[in-house]
Amino acid sequence: MSQIIEKAKELGLLIKESDELKEYKEAEAAQLDDKEAVELMMEYHNTQEELSKEAADPNITKEKYEELNVKAQAAFGKIIKNPSIARYIQAQQNFSNLMNQVNTILSYYITGEEESGCGGNCSGCSSCSGCH
């Protein structure tokens, strides 16, 4: 068991030093330092809360729900135009993809089964790093 723990620590250190995590942390810091980005994120959060409350109404009409959906999309469109936020979202997605790949590979070697969606042909899978 100690060999497994040592390998887990080694993997953790490799992930910590990965370009994906470094970019994610840099993008997060840049977003937090960007006053406009912080204000946009607060506004987006408030809009999402308001829309969630309205959408939870059991008597909501289809039209009202669609109106709320349009408002939510508009709010997201507004924040994604900010370069700091766009960079942060992309960096977050890249790091998440890395972690998903690691988990998929671990799962494959533990169970011997491929995750759904992977046909074993890594050239056809945009998120695969060639696990087979």
Side-chain angles (χ1 to χ4, degrees):
M1 172 119 109
S2 64
Q3 185 180 16
I4 294 171
I5 301 302
E6 287 303 312
K7 292 294 182 182
K9 289 178 183 177
E10 185 179 332
L11 178 59
L13 289 172
L14 288 171
I15 291 170
K16 181 179 179 182
E17 295 301 318
S18 71
D19 290 339
E20 291 84 353
L21 183 59
K22 288 177 185 175
E23 172 59 19
Y24 176 57
K25 287 183 175 185
E26 288 173 12
E28 181 179 42
Q31 178 187 328
L32 292 173
D33 285 341
D34 183 337
K35 184 180 177 183
E36 179 187 354
V38 171
E39 289 173 0
L40 284 169
M41 289 300 290
M42 287 174 51
E43 180 183 327
Y44 176 73
H45 176 73
N46 292 338
T47 301
Q48 288 298 101
E49 278 187 356
E50 177 187 330
L51 296 176
S52 292
K53 286 178 186 175
E54 290 183 42
D57 180 355
N59 299 319
I60 191 169
T61 64
K62 181 180 178 184
E63 292 77 21
K64 181 65 174 177
Y65 182 79
E66 288 174 1
E67 178 186 328
L68 295 175
N69 196 22
V70 168
K71 281 185 179 179
Q73 290 175 359
F76 184 74
K78 190 174 178 181
I79 66 166
I80 197 69
K81 289 178 184 174
N82 178 281
S84 296
I85 295 172
R87 177 183 173 206
Y88 172 74
I89 290 171
Q90 184 61 54
Q92 185 180 42
Q93 184 62 49
N94 291 344
F95 181 68
S96 180
N97 287 343
L98 172 66
M99 295 307 297
N100 287 337
Q101 289 174 6
V102 168
N103 287 330
T104 298
I105 293 167
L106 288 173
S107 179
Y108 174 77
Y109 281 97
I110 291 168
T111 66
E113 296 178 13
E114 295 174 356
E115 293 275 324
S116 62
C118 181
N121 178 1
C122 294
S123 63
C125 180
S126 64
S127 64
C128 188
S129 63
C131 56
H132 303 288

